[in-house]
Amino acid sequence: MTSGAGAQAGRLSQQEAEDGFYNDTSEFLAELSGGSLHMGYWESPSDSATMAEASRRLTGLMAERIRTGPGERVLDIGCGTGAPAIQLAQSTGAEVVGITNSPVQARLAAEKAGEAGVADRVSFRCEDAGNLGFPPQSFDAVWLVESIMAMPDRLAVLQQAAAVLKPGGRLALTDFLERTAPPAGAEQADTPQYAVLLGKLISLQDYPLLLEKAGLVPVELTDVSDRTVARTLGCMRQRLEDDRESLTQRFGAHVVDQFDNIVLRLQAAGFGYGVVVADRPGR
């Protein structure tokens, strides 16, 4: 393990790469992902849901898992451009606070909350997920929808989340999972944006110990890879092919070409997708 200034420089470089990537591409990612910066969920191979419909379905499934309602507060760690937080507030009546390391995402999310008429219950701010600035036990639920893999230290984030959860509160997250050996040359990938999206993969079996160390009790560990990954990446690929001209006009050829490469790499990576739910003990 590297220590001292070298380690600090490495952390800063990773964080700067993530900040720049999401600042530059959030709107484009939202276009490819059906409005939310996360996977879609299909019930079966014959499910004809669009990417946007499947993306909203995944948000809905996560909302069911955190069991929240009117008068309760939810912390959305890694809120992206705000669509899941807005959907959560609309469907449950809860108050949602979203955090992101990207000022661009925070601005876009706040604009969307205003347009959706929920700005009185949904707010967004720039915050470090590894050093949250909220009082202890100030949220009824916490979720991380497809964001924890982009953070340098999963345990640190889970510990921070546990600290702001009320006793009896619930945490729910989705994460990219290691299912197969990394493709040849993966560690030498020349596309840093690809690494930011995929993050450092772990297995679903790593989560019980992580949750225990964070002071949380596992409730659910479910591999939903077959209902999420291939269809999502296929939809992204199809959108890039079908709407290349209009996407290029809006976002530039460099961004479109870059994501052509990224989606191909993600399809070859063989990663999985899991849902993790845990409770903070007590009440």
Side-chain angles (χ1 to χ4, degrees):
M1 179 179 295
T2 306
S3 60
Q8 180 67 15
R11 286 195 295 270
L12 289 174
S13 296
Q14 178 179 354
Q15 191 64 61
E16 287 168 355
E18 292 172 5
D19 292 352
F21 176 72
Y22 287 115
N23 281 336
D24 294 343
T25 64
S26 290
E27 289 183 272
F28 186 75
L29 269 171
E31 283 284 335
L32 293 186
S33 305
S36 300
L37 303 184
H38 64 63
M39 295 274 170
Y41 184 95
W42 287 264
E43 298 286 356
S44 68
S46 61
D47 186 345
S48 61
T50 65
M51 181 66 221
E53 291 166 343
S55 179
R56 287 183 61 84
R57 183 185 291 158
L58 179 64
T59 299
L61 291 172
M62 296 303 292
E64 291 173 3
R65 281 163 168 80
I66 60 172
R67 306 177 309 181
T68 192
E72 295 189 314
R73 299 183 77 219
V74 180
L75 178 61
D76 179 355
I77 298 179
C79 61
T81 52
I86 292 167
Q87 182 178 332
L88 176 65
Q90 290 172 328
S91 64
T92 67
E95 175 189 346
V96 186
V97 179
I99 68 167
T100 173
N101 60 9
S102 165
V104 172
Q105 287 187 347
R107 174 180 58 79
L108 292 171
E111 291 173 358
K112 289 184 178 181
E115 293 167 359
V118 294
D120 60 326
R121 289 185 288 116
V122 183
S123 61
F124 302 95
R125 57 197 272 187
C126 287
E127 187 93 17
D128 180 3
N131 186 25
L132 296 175
F134 300 101
Q137 302 181 21
S138 55
F139 289 93
D140 299 282
V142 176
W143 76 1
L144 300 95
V145 183
E146 205 164 307
S147 59
I148 197 168
M149 70 284 292
M151 299 173 189
D153 188 340
R154 283 177 175 84
L155 177 58
V157 174
L158 291 171
Q159 288 171 329
Q160 288 288 303
V164 300
L165 268 177
K166 296 177 182 179
R170 173 156 289 189
L171 174 141
L173 64 85
T174 63
D175 197 356
F176 291 169
L177 303 176
E178 184 176 49
R179 295 185 98 195
T180 60
E187 293 189 0
Q188 289 78 39
D190 57 5
T191 307
Q193 295 87 353
Y194 160 82
V196 169
L197 276 175
L198 198 59
K200 180 177 175 56
L201 300 179
I202 64 173
S203 74
L204 203 55
Q205 289 68 41
D206 291 322
Y207 262 101
L209 182 58
L210 281 173
L211 295 171
E212 179 185 345
K213 288 182 177 179
L216 297 166
V217 178
V219 173
E220 176 187 353
L221 303 170
T222 305
D223 188 324
V224 294
S225 305
D226 295 341
R227 300 188 179 201
T228 54
V229 178
R231 289 285 294 271
T232 295
L233 295 177
C235 285
M236 288 182 172
R237 188 76 188 155
Q238 196 64 50
R239 181 74 190 279
L240 285 166
E241 292 178 3
D242 292 346
D243 297 333
R244 176 172 294 275
E245 184 176 350
S246 63
L247 290 171
T248 298
Q249 289 175 349
R250 291 177 60 192
F251 299 101
H254 172 71
V255 172
V256 175
D257 291 343
Q258 170 181 288
F259 271 88
D260 256 340
N261 184 28
I262 289 173
V263 173
L264 282 172
R265 286 174 179 266
L266 291 174
Q267 287 178 315
F271 66 93
Y273 197 77
V275 173
V276 175
V277 183
D279 288 341
R280 174 170 173 170
R283 174 65 79 179

